[in-house]
Amino acid sequence: MITIRIANTGDAESISSLGKATFDVYYRHLFKNEEDIDAYMKNAFGVQKIYNSLVNKENQYWIAEDTISNIALGYAKLQLNASSELTKYCNVSKLQRIYVLPSFVSEGVGAKLEKLVVDKVKSIGNEYLWLSTLKSNKRTLKFYEREGYDIIGEDFFTIGSQTFEHWVYGKTLVKYPVKNY
């Protein structure tokens, strides 16, 4: 059975390990220089960095766990009140990560995490959610499109000596009624 809960500082090591493992599986093949990905993973998913992010009141994490094996199998990170120049909305949050171990992708863990993120963003009164994802990651692109996101722009992210192209996706969360005059 899979459960999802709000993560706390005690989850920093699990999230760190999970971040490194998933990033490695999904992205290592894209790197020409292994030192670049290794340095990035050490920095981006360091336990202290995750811990500091968990205590930041502008971030919220959820962790998915297999209750039988007690193994962390996925997580989501949301940055609250994170504006983007690509949207006209004022009250905006950013979905920074949904990472799920490959063997659990078909279990719908990503969709469950995304729904919790959307519910949280709506509960604080934000109108819009945005994210950035690798253009070449077709499976992820299909996932976000299926969840109702639209491409609103593009972005570039440099890791070491390589620059990666990303699509920026957005999703309107509050539908305003149309007035008929």
Side-chain angles (χ1 to χ4, degrees):
M1 184 171 155
I2 297 170
T3 61
I4 301 175
R5 62 177 173 78
I6 293 174
N8 59 56
T9 56
D11 296 310
E13 283 190 41
S14 292
I15 292 170
S16 170
S17 295
L18 195 53
K20 289 174 187 172
T22 52
F23 195 87
D24 190 66
V25 166
Y26 292 119
Y27 302 111
R28 180 168 291 277
H29 70 281
L30 299 173
F31 284 82
K32 296 173 187 161
N33 181 348
E34 287 200 12
E35 292 174 4
D36 287 347
I37 187 172
D38 292 339
Y40 175 78
M41 288 191 310
K42 183 179 180 181
N43 178 51
F45 304 109
V47 174
Q48 188 62 49
K49 184 165 187 171
I50 299 294
Y51 178 89
N52 292 344
S53 185
L54 282 161
V55 298
N56 182 337
K57 65 182 172 124
E58 290 299 315
N59 295 328
Q60 174 123 29
Y61 284 77
W62 290 263
I63 191 163
E65 300 169 311
D66 181 331
T67 54
I68 295 169
S69 65
N70 204 27
I71 293 174
L73 49 97
Y75 77 96
K77 178 185 178 190
L78 172 67
Q79 184 181 5
L80 303 168
N81 304 309
S83 62
S84 168
E85 68 277 355
L86 297 173
T87 178
K88 64 182 183 244
Y89 294 97
C90 297
N91 299 315
V92 177
S93 289
K94 180 182 182 185
L95 173 54
Q96 287 192 312
R97 289 195 173 105
I98 292 182
Y99 283 1
V100 178
L101 292 172
S103 56
F104 293 95
V105 168
S106 64
E107 302 288 324
V109 174
K112 291 174 185 171
L113 287 165
E114 192 271 344
K115 182 180 181 331
L116 289 168
V117 167
V118 167
D119 290 346
K120 175 63 178 182
V121 173
K122 286 179 178 178
S123 78
I124 64 167
N126 279 190
E127 306 160 295
Y128 199 77
L129 181 61
W130 69 281
L131 60 95
S132 177
T133 192
L134 194 63
K135 284 184 178 183
S136 64
N137 193 341
K138 302 300 181 199
R139 186 175 189 164
T140 302
L141 299 176
K142 286 180 184 176
F143 168 78
Y144 287 118
E145 289 166 4
R146 189 174 57 247
E147 296 300 323
Y149 291 83
D150 296 308
I151 294 172
I152 60 171
E154 60 184 331
D155 189 4
F156 301 92
F157 190 71
T158 300
I159 298 175
S161 60
Q162 287 182 248
T163 299
F164 299 92
E165 296 180 17
H166 287 76
W167 286 122
V168 179
Y169 277 84
K171 181 176 184 174
T172 303
L173 303 177
V174 177
K175 307 288 185 200
Y176 296 102
V178 176
K179 293 182 180 181
N180 294 322
Y181 294 96

